Amino acid sequence: QVQLVESGGGLVQAGGSLRLSCAASGRTFREYAVGWFRQAPGKDRDFVAAISWSGGATLYADSVKGRTTISRDNTKNTVYLQMNSLKPEDTAVYYCATYAGGEIGGPLIDWGQGTQVTVSS
């Protein structure tokens, strides 16, 4: 099992930036793809971005493409989500999760507790 802890959320004005971090401990984190998801009040949890174990493959939701970059530092067991040009509709709780394998896709195994991002207009 991998324990995941998200951080970096907060309150930011529209047009601003935030960098979220997902720090992992436990089984070999570097072997697994990781995804970021978000859930706004009253809505389903949606996919935001994902990265393969090596960082060689990434995937983004259309809603954040061009404004968001996912990256990872396997020496620090951490995955990052850099979000720029934030919009009020980006307001949500952001979660990271590990996939069952090293490539993006398939079952999600471990989840963090989430970090709140609030974008004011």
Side-chain angles (χ1 to χ4, degrees):
Q1 185 179 3
V2 175
Q3 290 76 44
L4 302 173
V5 178
E6 301 94 336
S7 62
L11 174 64
V12 63
Q13 288 188 333
S17 298
L18 282 174
R19 189 178 80 156
L20 307 184
S21 298
C22 172
S25 61
R27 61 180 167 85
T28 311
F29 179 70
R30 64 178 62 88
E31 296 179 355
Y32 299 93
V34 174
W36 281 96
F37 300 80
R38 66 187 182 186
Q39 187 167 21
K43 296 189 176 181
D44 293 334
R45 189 171 296 187
D46 292 330
F47 170 79
V48 177
I51 189 166
S52 64
W53 72 275
S54 66
T58 57
L59 184 66
Y60 297 93
D62 287 344
S63 58
V64 303
K65 197 174 295 182
R67 304 187 291 123
T68 300
T69 302
I70 188 170
S71 62
R72 68 190 298 161
D73 184 344
N74 285 339
T75 66
K76 297 182 178 179
N77 278 357
T78 302
V79 171
Y80 304 99
L81 189 72
Q82 176 69 45
M83 300 189 295
N84 303 319
S85 301
L86 283 162
K87 306 174 182 180
E89 51 264 43
D90 293 319
T91 295
V93 177
Y94 284 70
Y95 301 88
C96 63
T98 59
Y99 287 92
E103 302 303 325
I104 298 168
L108 292 156
I109 304 301
D110 299 299
W111 289 85
Q113 83 292 345
T115 186
Q116 176 71 48
V117 171
T118 303
V119 184
S120 62
S121 56

